[in-house]
Amino acid sequence: MSRMILRRMLQIVPLLFVISVISFALVKLSPGDPVKMFVTPNMHPEDVERIRRSLGLNLPIYEQYFRWLGQIVHGNLGYSLQNSQPVLGQILQRLPATIGLMGTALAATLIIAIPLGLVAAKYENTWIDRLLNMISYISISIPVFWFGILLIEFFSVKLNWLPSLGMQTIGENSFVDLAQHAILPVTTLTFQGCGAYYRYVRSNTLSEIRKSYVEFGHAKGLSIWKLLWSHILKNVMLPVITLLGMSLPTLISGAYITESVFSWPGLGLLSVDAIFSLDYPIIMAMTLFSGLMLILGNLFADMTYQFVDPRIRK
């Protein structure tokens, strides 16, 4: 396994290089001009051109790329075009909010979806299975922004039970206040994620139930619940681990739409603001972070496979 890990680690650098080239080209080819953020109605064209030169936007695209790449190699992610603050500092400042939100939602998703998938497979074609399937279809199909707005309208506007926006009330730093603000965005993300995880768990559980080792367990007198939790679940977890590895980038980059709907001050909201203002340094930094986490997530999934299924280890 150590050779596999070493080989995958050596692939990170060329993969990130390819990601950076493609992302930088797409960002530069996108419509819009970031210099317009600094332009005032009475500004002289020479002043506009001076700003463009100071930002390095007058250089050919390949020179801009290698200049940016040289800064990245030296650990400098650059400065935001919008507020002139270091990009790395802004990312580190908002990272805890995103990890807290996404980590809580991911844990809640696994806690809810895995047992429900096992229960649905156990009671296949019964009213329980049909009800859970209908809810999972709704979860997969419903737009996440619409569901978030629906929660705000019902629980915040009409019932006035929960705050609708932000992470904390101004002047209030208690954990209770933070938890109240997190309930609606966590619920939105959990409801969205449960559908996919539930479908994978249910489908693979149905496949495992029909295998010979389950019949052998029945012959030994083991109950179906004992087989589900002690034997079948281990094999069912393989596709769940794959989804978990693919979800790792969102743990760092955040949920763009959800954070925007609830004004959650995380990296997702930072990225959305950067996209609308054409803040290239932040966009590129978040793209690299997302690519890196996706690569590490796949590595995490491959490593976890070998602990869950000894056959893969061989």
Side-chain angles (χ1 to χ4, degrees):
M1 185 174 68
S2 59
R3 285 184 297 178
M4 183 271 291
I5 296 175
L6 179 60
R7 184 174 66 253
R8 296 290 293 275
M9 294 297 290
L10 292 176
Q11 294 174 354
I12 290 179
V13 175
L15 283 174
L16 287 179
F17 175 75
V18 173
I19 292 172
S20 68
V21 171
I22 297 175
S23 301
F24 194 88
L26 291 176
V27 168
K28 291 297 182 180
L29 293 175
S30 61
D33 187 358
V35 177
K36 291 182 178 180
M37 292 189 303
F38 306 94
V39 175
T40 60
N42 298 324
M43 185 174 289
H44 197 274
E46 294 181 358
D47 297 327
V48 176
E49 189 61 28
R50 190 179 299 112
I51 294 174
R52 190 181 303 277
R53 287 197 301 270
S54 66
L55 296 176
L57 299 177
N58 62 317
L59 299 174
I61 186 172
Y62 65 90
E63 289 189 25
Q64 295 182 43
Y65 171 75
F66 285 112
R67 175 182 290 187
W68 171 81
L69 185 63
Q71 294 177 343
I72 295 296
V73 171
H74 290 88
N76 179 15
L77 297 181
Y79 291 85
S80 169
L81 300 180
Q82 190 174 13
N83 53 33
S84 301
Q85 298 296 317
V87 172
L88 182 59
Q90 295 184 68
I91 291 176
L92 294 178
Q93 182 181 3
R94 299 200 181 206
L95 186 60
T98 293
I99 291 179
L101 176 65
M102 302 305 298
T104 304
L106 185 59
T109 299
L110 294 176
I111 292 173
I112 295 173
I114 292 176
L116 289 182
L118 295 175
V119 170
K122 164 66 172 62
Y123 296 104
E124 183 186 9
N125 295 327
T126 64
W127 68 269
I128 297 177
D129 184 32
R130 296 190 186 97
L131 177 62
L132 292 176
N133 284 338
M134 182 184 68
I135 296 174
S136 70
Y137 291 141
I138 295 174
S139 169
I140 296 171
S141 304
I142 191 171
V144 63
F145 73 90
W146 185 84
F147 185 69
I149 293 174
L150 193 67
L151 293 180
I152 292 175
E153 175 68 21
F154 186 73
F155 289 102
S156 298
V157 177
K158 292 189 175 181
L159 298 180
N160 197 26
W161 286 357
L162 297 168
S164 59
L165 302 175
M167 183 175 172
Q168 285 183 319
T169 305
I170 298 176
E172 184 70 38
N173 295 319
S174 65
F175 176 78
V176 174
D177 182 69
L178 175 62
Q180 289 176 342
H181 281 79
I183 288 176
L184 293 184
V186 167
T187 302
T188 302
L189 291 169
T190 301
F191 183 74
Q192 180 194 29
C194 277
Y197 280 93
Y198 163 83
R199 298 300 302 174
Y200 273 91
V201 173
R202 178 186 179 276
S203 175
N204 284 275
T205 302
L206 290 175
S207 300
E208 294 295 324
I209 284 178
R210 297 180 175 89
K211 291 186 177 179
S212 57
Y213 74 90
V214 177
E215 297 179 0
F216 180 73
H218 281 303
K220 290 179 61 177
L222 297 177
S223 66
I224 183 60
W225 294 112
K226 178 68 174 178
L227 288 169
L228 282 172
W229 290 103
S230 300
H231 301 281
I232 296 176
L233 182 59
K234 294 179 181 179
N235 296 323
V236 170
M237 285 302 293
L238 290 179
V240 175
I241 292 172
T242 302
L243 280 180
L244 195 60
M246 297 295 290
S247 301
L248 195 58
T250 61
L251 191 64
I252 302 300
S253 61
Y256 288 23
I257 298 177
T258 305
E259 290 191 7
S260 299
V261 170
F262 293 97
S263 296
W264 189 266
L267 293 178
L269 185 60
L270 177 67
S271 300
V272 171
D273 292 339
I275 291 171
F276 279 110
S277 60
L278 297 178
D279 199 338
Y280 296 153
I282 292 181
I283 296 174
M284 289 304 304
M286 291 306 304
T287 303
L288 278 184
F289 270 116
S290 299
L292 177 61
M293 295 311 300
L294 182 61
I295 296 171
L296 294 179
N298 288 330
L299 177 60
F300 163 79
D302 291 342
M303 293 172 57
T304 309
Y305 284 160
Q306 303 190 37
F307 290 102
V308 174
D309 193 342
R311 295 171 299 178
I312 298 178
R313 200 178 312 157
K314 294 180 180 181

